[in-house]
C-alpha cells in the first residue's frame, strides 16, 4: 500500500496533493500531515485527490477529523479532483452534504 503526499503553500492556502491508496496502513501518514495544517487559525486547505485510486473508511475518518479541526479554527477545507468512485463514497456516507467537494468534472486536478 503506497501513498504520496505533497504539500505546497500557495498564497494563503495549503495545497495538498495526494496519490495512491488511503487505507488503514496509509491513513496515519495522511493524518500526520493534515492535522497540523488543520489546527492553524483561519487555515484554507485544498486537498487534491485526483491521483487517489482507493480510499476506505479509515481515510474518511481522517477527513472528518480534519474537517472538524478546520471548522473549529474558522478555516475552510476543499476536496478536489475526486473520481466518481470517491465522490460516491462521500455521497453514500453523507459527507458530501457537509464538506465542500468538487469532482473531476467540476474542479479538475490542480
Amino acid at each position: 500500500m503506497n501513498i504520496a503526499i505533497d504539500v505546497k503553500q500557495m498564497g494563503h492556502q495549503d495545497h495538498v496533493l495526494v496519490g495512491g491508496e488511503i487505507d488503514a496502513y496509509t491513513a496515519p501518514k495522511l493524518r500526520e500531515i493534515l492535522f497540523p495544517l488543520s489546527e492553524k487559525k483561519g487555515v484554507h486547505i485544498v486537498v487534491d485527490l485526483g491521483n487517489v485510486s482507493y480510499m476506505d473508511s479509515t481515510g474518511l475518518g481522517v477527513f472528518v477529523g480534519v474537517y472538524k479541526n478546520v471548522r473549529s479554527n474558522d478555516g475552510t477545507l476543499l476536496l478536489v479532483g475526486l473520481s466518481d468512485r470517491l465522490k460516491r463514497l462521500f455521497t453514500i456516507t453523507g459527507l458530501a452534504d457537509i464538506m465542500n467537494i468538487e469532482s473531476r468534472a467540476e474542479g479538475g486536478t490542480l
Side-chain angles (χ1 to χ4, degrees), residues 4-97:
I5 306 167
D6 185 33
V7 180
K8 292 184 177 152
Q9 183 78 32
M10 299 176 123
H12 296 290
Q13 295 181 335
D14 291 310
H15 287 254
V16 183
L17 179 62
V18 183
E21 299 180 355
I22 305 172
D23 57 23
Y25 297 103
T26 60
K29 183 176 179 185
L30 183 62
R31 180 187 321 267
E32 180 181 302
I33 291 175
L34 288 178
F35 265 63
L37 296 176
S38 71
E39 293 171 341
K40 294 188 287 186
K41 197 71 172 162
V43 69
H44 300 287
I45 301 173
V46 178
V47 181
D48 185 338
L49 299 172
N51 294 319
V52 172
S53 58
Y54 172 82
M55 182 166 42
D56 68 10
S57 61
T58 313
L60 288 174
V62 170
F63 286 109
V64 168
V66 169
Y67 175 77
K68 287 180 179 180
N69 280 349
V70 167
R71 293 279 307 222
S72 68
N73 287 302
D74 299 320
T76 61
L77 173 66
L78 172 62
L79 304 179
V80 300
L82 280 73
S83 66
D84 290 340
R85 174 182 272 174
L86 290 183
K87 177 83 174 187
R88 186 167 187 260
L89 183 62
F90 278 90
T91 300
I92 289 170
T93 59
L95 294 175
D97 295 332

